[in-house]
Amino acid sequence: MEIRSVGVLGAGQMGLGIAQAAARAGYETIMAKATAGPLDAQRGKVEKQLQKDVERGKLTAADHGALLERLRWTVHLHDLADVDLVVESIVEELPVKREHFARLDAVVKDDAIFATNTSTLTVAELAAATSRPERVVGLHFFNPVHAMKLVEVAPGLRTSADTVATMVAFAKRLGKTPVVVADSTGYIVNRLLVPYMVDAIGCLERRLGSIADIDTAMQNGANHPMGPLALADFIGLDIVLHMASLLQQEYKEARFAPPALLRRMVIAGWLGRKSGLGFYDYRQTPPAPHDALLQQRSG
């Protein structure tokens, strides 16, 4: 199947990034907000990012204008009726996703492909909410979408080979590197990455090193561009907690179990970069290790 038009459901950071990537690759793209309310803030974020690309020479003024013309905005699911591909990127809650897939199935043309950006819920569970399981597939992008090359393509048990091939070609046209993975909670990257971050937090709890030392050790000892605690802050500690909880629930393995320190930080609202405070304090420049975490634990 040839993809000519793309709908993206979910106007959060990932959805906006996917829609921007599709429009940049030349697809007619509809950005559909899954919740009620104006789209001004989301539209402003995309236009700001594109303007930065123009200023940096990564996008010409002409391409900038053409891209914005290809990108439409809506809060109505029925506006996705005629797209060839819908990429869902809403909250990681199975009942909510299943409800939206069932609604999409009723309004989007029968031969369209449905893709989900999840990596913690299985494709088979979402496909069961539709009448087209052979055209439902996982398409897991990474944050930030414009910078991260990998896309995990996850076929469910009933996903057709043609759907997989179409999604691999789609990812390549977006300038991404696709890998085909089994439909299992966490796929490849999060099955490996979540316990890595969990273990790093455990190392901090057990005082094996300071925040800065743990991150510096992995940056310089394993040649990682970012340490595990800084990475957890970047992803969002609430998201790390959610992923770890789902993986532990699915596999019943201790290596996925969220550390107590992570739970307490999320309860406190210390979520990392997006809240201004996590393992690092982002309210200052450059960010400094939040060493008070250890002092509070021992007090």
Side-chain angles (χ1 to χ4, degrees):
M1 176 181 178
E2 181 184 359
I3 302 298
R4 297 175 300 276
S5 56
V6 177
V8 178
L9 178 62
Q13 186 170 352
M14 290 302 296
L16 293 176
I18 295 167
Q20 186 176 325
R24 187 184 290 266
Y27 292 104
E28 295 296 324
T29 306
I30 302 176
M31 175 73 256
K33 190 167 177 280
T35 55
L39 282 158
D40 295 344
Q42 290 83 358
R43 186 183 287 111
K45 286 181 181 179
V46 170
E47 292 178 354
K48 183 177 179 180
Q49 177 62 52
L50 293 176
Q51 186 57 44
K52 286 182 179 179
D53 288 346
V54 172
E55 293 168 0
R56 294 169 182 168
K58 296 181 179 180
L59 189 69
T60 66
D63 288 341
H64 173 267
L67 192 158
L68 289 177
E69 288 184 4
R70 286 194 295 272
L71 183 57
R72 293 168 48 202
W73 301 79
T74 187
V75 294
H76 304 294
L77 284 186
H78 60 73
D79 287 337
L80 303 178
D82 294 322
V83 300
D84 300 312
L85 167 67
V86 177
V87 182
E88 169 273 318
S89 185
I90 62 175
V91 63
E92 285 287 278
E93 296 179 10
L94 181 60
V96 178
K97 285 184 183 288
R98 283 177 58 90
E99 177 189 355
H100 279 80
F101 267 79
R103 292 172 60 196
L104 286 168
D105 195 50
V107 300
V108 179
K109 64 182 183 180
D110 291 341
D111 61 347
I113 293 173
F114 289 172
T116 175
N117 188 49
T118 188
S119 69
T120 52
L121 302 172
T122 63
V123 174
E125 289 178 303
L126 299 176
T130 78
S131 62
R132 63 185 86 195
E134 70 283 359
R135 288 189 294 279
V136 180
V137 65
L139 202 62
H140 181 220
F141 291 81
F142 290 79
N143 185 39
V145 175
H146 70 273
M148 300 296 283
K149 291 292 187 181
L150 183 65
V151 174
E152 291 176 310
V153 180
L157 286 175
R158 298 178 63 183
T159 306
S160 70
D162 181 63
T163 296
V164 175
T166 299
M167 290 299 92
V168 167
F170 173 73
K172 289 180 177 179
R173 180 166 165 182
L174 265 55
K176 306 302 182 184
T177 301
V179 294
V180 179
V181 302
D183 180 23
S184 61
T185 301
Y187 301 153
I188 292 174
V189 172
N190 283 334
R191 280 281 293 270
L192 298 174
L193 189 62
V194 170
Y196 167 62
M197 292 185 289
V198 163
D199 277 346
I201 298 169
C203 287
L204 182 63
E205 284 185 320
R206 293 187 290 274
R207 310 299 180 87
L208 298 185
S210 68
I211 294 169
D213 285 344
I214 290 170
D215 278 353
T216 298
M218 292 310 297
Q219 285 179 278
N220 291 277
N223 202 28
H224 290 189
M226 184 183 296
L229 300 176
L231 177 61
D233 274 355
F234 180 79
I235 293 171
L237 300 187
D238 53 336
I239 295 174
V240 174
L241 174 61
H242 185 65
M243 291 192 299
S245 299
L246 285 173
L247 286 163
Q248 203 277 330
Q249 180 181 353
E250 175 72 15
Y251 298 114
K252 307 297 190 296
E253 296 179 20
R255 67 194 182 104
F256 296 119
L261 176 59
L262 175 62
R263 292 186 183 277
R264 285 199 296 272
M265 291 176 71
V266 172
I267 291 171
W270 295 345
L271 308 181
R273 283 181 179 265
K274 61 187 174 184
S275 70
L277 192 63
F279 291 108
Y280 291 83
D281 187 344
Y282 300 93
R283 299 169 299 184
Q284 53 186 295
T285 304
H290 186 191
D291 291 326
L293 283 171
L294 297 182
Q295 298 169 11
Q296 291 164 3
R297 277 199 83 236
S298 61

